Amino acid sequence: AKDYELRQYETAKWVSTVIRGETQKEAMRQGFWKLFHYIQGKNEKEMKIDMTVPVTCLVKSGCTDFKISFFVPFKHQDSPPQPTNSDVFIEERKAAAIFVRSFGGFASPEKYAEEAEVLARILRNRGQPFHEDFFYTAGYDSPFKLFNRHNEVWYFKK
């Protein structure tokens, strides 16, 4: 479809942290730095790990907990170094079919919510079953990239 795509993601490991009781914007900021310290060597092997994209944020309706995650690079998927910060953990996300809507510009929590609502409406109208109680935001660009930015919202197919 021109307004979304259906992707199949394989099982993969992500390094994540949950920020509770903050705004989404503040949770993203705090979560990003906790994960950035992990890839800068705050892990059991004191290993620097390449930054990957996307940076995702799990948004659950009616919930003020946000799970921020970095994709673990392919070369570390088999055995990522364990975090030394107890707030940071490695999680394995199972293979899944995901509905994705892409958009440009600087994405705010409001813009992500708006795009998620557009995608949800399209999926409902087309009779596509999906998990409506949560979505992921996915950001692909450094804050220093000014043009041709790429952002996504993801709903998991039922």
Side-chain angles (χ1 to χ4, degrees):
K2 70 181 189 325
D3 36 18
Y4 72 91
E5 59 185 295
L6 178 59
R7 290 187 197 148
Q8 182 64 44
Y9 280 95
E10 297 310 311
T11 298
K13 291 188 178 86
W14 295 70
V15 59
S16 302
T17 187
V18 175
I19 306 295
R20 292 183 168 81
E22 296 288 351
T23 63
Q24 186 178 343
K25 188 172 185 166
E26 180 59 19
M28 284 292 293
R29 190 189 68 74
Q30 287 182 23
F32 178 89
W33 286 110
K34 285 183 183 192
L35 299 174
F36 187 76
H37 292 309
Y38 167 82
I39 66 171
Q40 288 296 299
K42 198 171 179 187
N43 57 64
E44 65 180 9
K45 295 180 183 166
E46 296 184 358
M47 179 190 292
K48 278 194 183 259
I49 300 168
D50 292 336
M51 175 82 202
T52 59
V53 292
V55 175
T56 65
C57 177
L58 172 61
V59 180
K60 295 185 221 167
S61 50
C63 183
T64 58
D65 294 358
F66 298 98
K67 183 171 66 178
I68 318 303
S69 306
F70 288 2
F71 179 76
V72 172
F74 291 109
K75 70 180 182 185
H76 299 294
Q77 279 287 319
D78 290 339
S79 62
Q82 287 303 308
T84 52
N85 179 340
S86 60
D87 292 344
V88 176
F89 56 95
I90 304 294
E91 68 169 321
E92 184 171 271
R93 292 188 193 165
K94 299 291 177 221
I98 300 176
F99 293 108
V100 178
R101 180 170 170 82
S102 301
F103 61 98
F106 279 91
S108 63
E110 296 76 20
K111 181 68 174 161
Y112 277 124
E114 185 182 304
E115 293 292 337
E117 186 45 50
V118 169
L119 177 56
R121 191 166 43 244
I122 292 165
L123 296 174
R124 281 185 212 108
N125 288 344
R126 300 205 177 137
Q128 292 283 8
F130 66 101
H131 293 276
E132 297 193 37
D133 52 333
F134 70 92
F135 66 90
Y136 280 90
T137 68
Y140 286 82
D141 301 304
S142 142
F144 306 109
K145 182 174 181 182
L146 302 179
F147 302 103
N148 300 316
R149 296 178 61 81
H150 184 80
N151 313 289
E152 296 173 349
V153 289
W154 299 353
Y155 274 112
F156 283 56
K157 183 177 171 127
K158 275 192 174 165

